[in-house]
Amino acid sequence: MSVATARGPVGKRPRGGRGPRFGRYALELVMIAVAVVFLFPVYALVTLAMKDPRQIADSPLAPPSPPTFDNFGHAWSSASLGPALLSSTVITAVSLLLLVVLGSTGAYYLARRARGIGYGLYVLFLLGIVLPFQLGMIPLYKLVDDLGWLGTYHGMVLFYTGIQLPFTVFLYTGFIRALPQDYAQAALIDGCNHRQAFARVVFPLLRPITGTVIILNAVFVWNDFFTPLLYLGGSGRETVPVGVFAFVGQYVSDYGLVFAGLVLAALPILVVFVLLQRYVIKGFAGGLKG
């Protein structure tokens, strides 16, 4: 057999050589376009926050020339963002701590008791996800008012813990079901009780889903506007969204201050998301395996 016959007709290239490469380039272009669409609001927010009123009036979306950081200092002092950040941090941190502790321990029991009362409780938690919490806003408000917890941190912590606990249990249960039971059983054989086996063996394995639980619940609690407005309004303990809302209404003509306040309000939760983002996909992937 000749060389030309073995390699095929001279001058012809193998089919399909350009197709995969073209498809990869097209996919990259689409992803770049999607990234630009998502990053454009961030660019506009930061750009407007670093401009004075004259620059905003002349060219609102052009890069600031020169950039000014005075808006951030004025927004911090004028909107009282310091106390608002403290309130948001306390409420979010304590709520996350309770959600992680209660959600992980409850999910461990439900995942290991897949029948009988365990399955019934799991279905009950799923109903808590399906039913919108707005249906119970009036009874919950009356309950918190009767307890004398309006305008307090523990009233807000109790509210967020109860509202987000079904979703947290759902995430933890799917992930725990995907874990092998050998680790916990070995700890029980070595003399640990169930609480010690969970705390020392199982919970360290839940790091990916714990990161997912923290970031998703933190974004919800930190950005919630209606509940703090209803429960903390006029108490001096308003959270960041409520403080920014009042600030926008007062300084609506100075958009540089308004957008600077929005940047300061979004920065803490953005830092948390960047630090924990790698756990989000891992947590969902582990739960989907189960």
Side-chain angles (χ1 to χ4, degrees):
M1 183 180 295
S2 62
V3 176
T5 305
R7 294 184 178 179
V10 179
K12 292 186 177 181
R13 298 181 178 179
R15 295 182 179 180
R18 181 180 298 180
R21 182 179 300 177
F22 176 78
R24 184 173 68 252
Y25 289 156
L27 181 60
E28 290 178 355
L29 290 176
V30 171
M31 297 306 296
I32 291 174
V34 172
V36 170
V37 171
F38 278 95
L39 289 177
F40 179 76
V42 179
Y43 165 79
L45 178 65
V46 176
T47 299
L48 292 173
M50 301 175 66
K51 288 184 174 183
D52 55 36
R54 180 185 57 81
Q55 295 183 24
I56 295 176
D58 294 340
S59 54
L61 296 180
S65 179
T68 177
F69 296 94
D70 295 337
N71 291 332
F72 296 97
H74 293 266
W76 180 272
S77 58
S78 301
S80 300
L81 288 181
L85 284 172
L86 177 61
S87 298
S88 292
T89 302
V90 171
I91 293 172
T92 304
V94 178
S95 300
L96 291 178
L97 178 62
L98 292 176
L99 286 171
V100 169
V101 173
L102 298 178
S104 60
T105 53
Y108 179 71
Y109 173 81
L110 296 178
R112 296 296 180 250
R113 294 286 299 271
R115 298 180 180 179
I117 188 173
Y119 180 76
L121 290 175
Y122 182 68
V123 173
L124 185 62
F125 276 108
L126 293 182
L127 290 177
I129 300 176
V130 175
L131 296 177
F133 75 91
Q134 289 84 357
L135 294 177
M137 288 302 297
I138 295 178
L140 286 174
Y141 183 86
K142 185 67 168 58
L143 175 62
V144 174
D145 187 19
D146 292 339
L147 293 174
W149 287 356
L150 286 179
T152 62
Y153 289 149
H154 44 276
M156 294 298 302
V157 169
L158 179 64
F159 176 86
Y160 285 126
T161 303
I163 290 298
Q164 292 299 104
L165 189 59
F167 179 65
T168 303
V169 169
F170 170 74
L171 292 178
Y172 270 120
T173 303
F175 193 89
I176 293 175
R177 285 176 177 172
L179 292 177
Q181 300 186 23
D182 301 340
Y183 302 108
Q185 291 176 354
L188 294 175
I189 294 174
D190 290 339
C192 294
N193 54 35
H194 286 282
R195 180 182 59 82
Q196 293 171 337
F198 173 78
R200 299 177 182 179
V201 178
V202 178
F203 187 75
L205 299 176
L206 302 181
R207 189 179 297 110
I209 193 61
T210 299
T212 305
V213 166
I214 289 175
I215 187 62
L216 294 181
N217 286 316
V219 170
F220 173 80
V221 175
W222 187 275
N223 292 331
D224 187 27
F225 168 74
F226 178 71
T227 307
L229 179 65
L230 185 64
Y231 286 78
L232 298 177
S235 65
R237 297 178 178 178
E238 291 85 355
T239 57
V240 169
V242 179
V244 172
F245 173 75
F247 177 72
V248 169
Q250 184 178 2
Y251 295 93
V252 67
S253 59
D254 195 340
Y255 290 101
L257 291 179
V258 171
F259 283 99
L262 293 175
V263 170
L264 293 174
L267 192 59
I269 199 63
L270 180 62
V271 173
V272 174
F273 181 81
V274 170
L275 294 177
L276 299 178
Q277 61 171 336
R278 62 193 180 99
Y279 292 113
V280 176
I281 301 302
K282 290 182 180 180
F284 276 124
L288 292 175
K289 290 179 183 178

